[in-house]
Amino acid sequence: MQSTYSLDLQRARDLVGAFLDQISAELQLSINKPIHDRPETCYEEFFACETISSYLESKGFHVTRKAYGLDTSFEASIGESGRQVVFCAEYDALPGIGHACGHNLIATSSIAAFLSTAHVLQTLNIAARLRLLGTPAEEGGGGKAKLIHAGAFDPPEDIAAAIMAHPVTRVVEPDGASYAGLAGGKSSASHKFKVEFHGKTAHAAGSPWDGINALDAAVSAYNNVALLRQQIRRDERIHAIIEVGGTVQNVITSYARMSWNVRAPTLKAADVLLERVKACINAGALATQCTTTYLPLPTSANLRANEMLSRVYVEDMARFGRNILALREQPSNASTDMGNVSHHVPSFHGRFSINAPPGVTIHNPAFTALARTDEAHRECIMAAKGMAMLALRVLTDSKVSDGARNDFETKD
């Protein structure tokens, strides 16, 4: 294979488009719908992982299961030399409402992009390295953070770009302009943790003075943070639930547990807000004489937008007939562990739009049904075409790869 290549962009687009049009129905039946119809939550995605791995093997790829020590991760790759691009595939679902975040579509689009990019590299005899990485547990499990720690994105200087795309409802700007997707969007950093309150049991009627009420500590913590919300910035968020609050009403609760999520536009701001939240929690414990145990969960860093990768994607998506917004400076209040990747290597986390009724967004049960429609599948394949072209241009064009690296190193 050649070590350098001057890519004929139109020929590459034709190859990508024709290839994905040919296998689209197969991907819908073999990957998209089966994963949607059998939703699995974080680190339990055994069916999805096996379905994808077996499909890739049927196409002639060697697949490493349990990649990087995670039971529901996998990896497939081609190439021995040249620049390297990694496609990230998500496939976990939400508890109770299934694929309301459309991760069946994310998996399908990343697989489609990987297959079509590999097809072009092999057809045009281009030397490059390409990987498809199965990234479990985006919904609360921090799968990509664990993969980073395990070395899946190392050495970071050896990866020209990590690429994926996420389904959303239609992108509408404040001026009313409507787009079929967003290339360079940012998202908030997110600290997740649980806190246990330890008290002392007693008969609630006979001798309540002998008890230390852990439920009271949790309720106090919740109310303290409810007051704090009046004094936080409009782009910050605090969420909490009481997971364990006691057993029977006539026994003083000796153990309670809460689950928390603290979000802000940057990790620095999230760190500051986290300390304010902990002060409210500790005040609840102090008021009730309870002790606390903090149980940290994986942190999602804020997602950084890479301008070069975003503009290249917009350019090629326009050639495929989709008008995509290039950049949006204001971060969304959502969070993703792809943010961690974007602090490690140049990254692209695009959004492709699915038409939805008013009031329906992701993490809504109505979106679960939308994620299985033919229209949703068509849009994920369109996004895959753009991602494949983005990968090919990163792999073959020094201006694109150097620009993406410069954006990564110099811009937030």
Side-chain angles (χ1 to χ4, degrees):
M1 285 190 175
Q2 303 176 41
S3 58
T4 59
Y5 193 89
S6 179
L7 185 66
D8 181 333
L9 293 180
Q10 190 53 54
R11 186 182 182 197
R13 290 188 195 104
D14 291 342
L15 286 169
V16 166
F19 181 83
L20 287 182
D21 289 344
Q22 180 181 351
I23 69 167
S24 175
E26 177 181 287
L27 285 169
Q28 187 174 21
L29 293 175
S30 299
I31 301 294
N32 191 353
K33 288 185 175 180
I35 292 176
H36 181 279
D37 293 346
R38 191 164 169 176
E40 300 164 303
T41 54
C42 66
Y43 298 119
E44 298 294 330
E45 313 97 324
F46 295 101
F47 173 79
C49 191
E50 180 58 32
T51 297
I52 296 168
S53 297
S54 296
Y55 178 80
L56 292 170
E57 287 172 340
S58 75
K59 298 299 179 184
F61 293 94
H62 172 75
V63 179
T64 300
R65 291 169 168 79
K66 300 185 179 181
Y68 303 97
L70 299 185
D71 285 345
T72 53
S73 183
F74 68 87
E75 184 176 67
S77 63
I78 66 165
E80 300 295 334
S81 63
R83 294 192 191 106
Q84 181 180 185
V85 162
V86 180
F87 288 111
C88 297
E90 297 175 5
Y91 32 83
D92 60 320
L94 288 157
I97 54 175
H99 281 287
C101 208
H103 288 193
N104 58 305
L105 299 170
I106 295 175
T108 304
S109 63
S110 291
I111 294 164
F114 171 77
L115 292 174
S116 55
T117 304
H119 170 69
V120 175
L121 293 176
Q122 293 167 341
T123 301
L124 301 182
N125 198 37
I126 300 171
R129 289 171 293 163
L130 190 67
R131 283 196 287 150
L132 176 65
L133 181 63
T135 61
E138 190 277 334
E139 295 290 354
K144 294 185 192 65
K146 291 187 177 182
L147 286 166
I148 290 170
H149 183 72
F153 297 91
D154 287 339
E157 63 274 10
D158 196 42
I159 297 176
I163 297 173
M164 64 168 289
H166 197 298
V168 294
T169 51
R170 196 152 188 88
V171 175
V172 180
E173 289 296 278
D175 63 3
S178 180
Y179 296 87
L182 170 64
K186 301 177 182 180
S187 67
S188 296
S190 170
H191 286 304
K192 294 182 180 180
F193 64 96
K194 298 187 180 188
V195 60
E196 298 175 317
F197 298 93
H198 307 279
K200 179 183 176 183
T201 189
H203 195 292
S207 55
W209 49 84
D210 288 331
I212 298 175
N213 199 317
L215 177 59
D216 282 351
V219 171
S220 178
Y222 188 94
N223 288 331
N224 291 342
V225 171
L227 295 173
L228 174 64
R229 286 193 184 98
Q230 300 178 63
Q231 318 303 144
I232 65 175
R233 299 176 63 89
R234 66 183 65 186
D235 53 9
E236 296 176 333
R237 298 289 187 272
I238 307 168
H239 324 294
I241 60 169
I242 297 175
E243 292 185 327
V244 179
T247 53
V248 292
Q249 78 278 7
N250 64 345
V251 175
I252 297 294
T253 299
S254 61
Y255 175 82
R257 186 177 71 243
M258 301 184 74
S259 180
W260 292 85
N261 190 347
V262 177
R263 306 183 199 245
T266 66
L267 272 174
K268 182 178 180 180
D271 289 344
V272 172
L273 184 58
L274 177 63
E275 292 309 307
R276 297 176 69 190
V277 170
K278 284 186 174 181
C280 294
I281 295 170
N282 293 338
L286 179 63
T288 56
Q289 297 185 299
C290 285
T291 59
T292 59
T293 303
Y294 283 91
L295 308 173
L297 297 170
T299 290
S300 293
N302 54 293
L303 178 68
R304 305 168 69 205
N306 190 289
E307 184 174 349
M308 173 59 79
L309 297 178
S310 298
R311 295 197 182 282
V312 168
Y313 178 80
V314 168
E315 180 180 321
D316 281 293
M317 286 298 283
R319 299 284 185 174
F320 288 121
R322 293 294 184 273
N323 182 28
I324 306 296
L325 179 63
L327 295 165
R328 178 184 281 167
E329 286 300 322
Q330 181 64 32
S332 77
N333 295 119
S335 305
T336 171
D337 59 8
M338 191 65 180
N340 301 57
V341 179
S342 76
H343 285 259
H344 198 71
V345 299
S347 299
F348 175 83
H349 184 279
R351 280 82 153 176
F352 57 92
S353 296
I354 301 169
N355 287 324
V360 174
T361 62
I362 59 174
H363 289 218
N364 181 311
F367 196 88
T368 306
L370 288 176
R372 196 184 190 276
T373 62
D374 291 344
E375 181 207 348
H377 179 75
R378 285 195 298 269
E379 292 307 313
C380 92
I381 295 298
M382 290 301 302
K385 293 178 181 180
M387 289 194 294
M389 284 303 304
L390 176 58
L392 288 165
R393 294 177 70 174
V394 169
L395 292 169
T396 61
D397 189 337
S398 295
K399 181 179 179 181
V400 175
S401 60
D402 291 348
R405 177 63 60 175
N406 182 67
D407 282 352
F408 168 75
E409 293 177 348
T410 62
K411 299 177 183 178
D412 291 332

